């Protein structure tokens, strides 16, 4: 087969540089943040700042605080269950196999609307927000829900970390009213 376009010379590093990587199933840094369990599968350090990936399990009926990212786009691939998403001033539902894309600067949030845990993949580009979970989430073997709630209210380092993440929390009062 022949092609009618330029192909790099065989001594070009594009032929030999092996800069990709694989993350095996069940690999990642697992952290709990209240009603969420996230395995951070890819960090900015691994992807040269280009991509952050997390696999999450969200507790029944839990909804996060709507927010916006000033720099990072965020996307979700629903693996199981059903989620309601806030997208600006609108809402929609997404289920297994659905892909949701939220560009930076868009107010958004999600809620597991079922009575069972639901799973999703979360993607950030560029990377960054996933590092918050690595640095400030709690390890499974030491997780205490009351301690996490107290940290959110009283830990100034945690609050500064949230403030330094290029995001703004934007609760609307009736965000998850059904």
């Amino acid at each position: 087969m022949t092609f009618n376009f330029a192909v790099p010379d065989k001594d070009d590093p594009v032929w030999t540089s092996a800069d990709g990587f694989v993350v095996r199933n069940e690999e990642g840094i697992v952290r709990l943040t209240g009603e969420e369990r996230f395995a951070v599968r890819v960090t900015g350090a691994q992807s040269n700042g280009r991509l952050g990936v997390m696999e999450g399990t969200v507790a029944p009926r839990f909804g996060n605080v709507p927010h916006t990212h000033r720099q990072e786009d965020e996307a979700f691939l629903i693996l199981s269950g059903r989620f309601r998403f806030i997208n600006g001033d609108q809402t929609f539902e997404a289920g297994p196999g659905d892909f949701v894309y939220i560009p930076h600067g868009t107010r958004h949030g999600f809620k597991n609307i079922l009575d069972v845990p639901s799973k999703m993949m979360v993607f950030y580009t560029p990377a960054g927000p996933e590092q918050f979970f690595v640095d400030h989430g709690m390890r499974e073997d030491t997780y205490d829900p009351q301690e996490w709630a107290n940290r959110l209210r009283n830990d100034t380092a945690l609050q500064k970390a949230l403030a330094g993440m290029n995001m703004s929390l934007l609760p609307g009062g009736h965000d998850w009213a059904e």
Side-chain angles (χ1 to χ4, degrees):
M1 178 181 289
T2 59
F3 296 100
N4 194 18
F5 55 84
V7 175
D9 292 331
K10 291 295 181 185
D11 60 346
D12 188 302
V14 71
W15 294 100
T16 58
S17 62
D19 296 329
F21 60 89
V22 62
V23 178
R24 302 289 179 195
N25 189 32
E26 300 301 320
E27 288 183 340
I29 303 164
V30 176
R31 295 291 186 263
L32 282 77
T33 56
E35 303 295 320
E36 304 166 313
R37 177 194 184 272
F38 281 106
V40 179
R41 306 286 300 264
V42 177
T43 65
Q46 293 170 291
S47 67
N48 200 25
R50 293 186 176 128
L51 178 68
V53 178
M54 303 189 312
E55 181 177 354
T57 302
V58 180
R61 301 289 172 184
F62 174 75
N64 67 357
V65 176
H67 57 281
T68 185
H69 300 276
R70 289 186 291 281
Q71 295 180 350
E72 301 86 8
D73 295 351
E74 188 170 8
F76 306 85
L77 176 63
I78 308 307
L79 302 176
S80 70
R82 193 144 192 88
F83 291 89
R84 178 171 297 119
F85 281 85
I86 291 174
N87 178 33
D89 63 354
Q90 301 176 0
T91 63
F92 60 86
E93 292 184 9
D98 292 342
F99 183 83
V100 176
Y101 172 73
I102 306 290
H104 66 282
T106 302
R107 181 177 180 265
H108 65 284
F110 60 81
K111 179 181 180 179
N112 175 1
I113 60 174
L114 299 181
D115 292 324
V116 296
S118 296
K119 292 185 174 192
M120 63 169 56
M121 297 294 297
V122 181
F123 306 87
Y124 297 108
T125 181
E130 78 288 348
Q131 195 62 44
F132 172 81
F133 293 86
V134 173
D135 294 342
H136 298 284
M138 297 182 78
R139 293 187 356 227
E140 283 186 292
D141 60 342
T142 60
Y143 180 70
D144 175 347
Q146 188 59 48
E147 181 183 342
W148 176 256
N150 289 338
R151 284 181 64 197
L152 285 176
R153 283 191 295 274
N154 303 316
D155 187 334
T156 55
L158 182 64
Q159 293 167 2
K160 285 180 183 177
L162 276 169
M165 288 183 48
N166 299 315
M167 69 178 280
S168 298
L169 298 178
L170 300 170
H174 299 294
D175 292 322
W176 301 122
E178 294 184 29

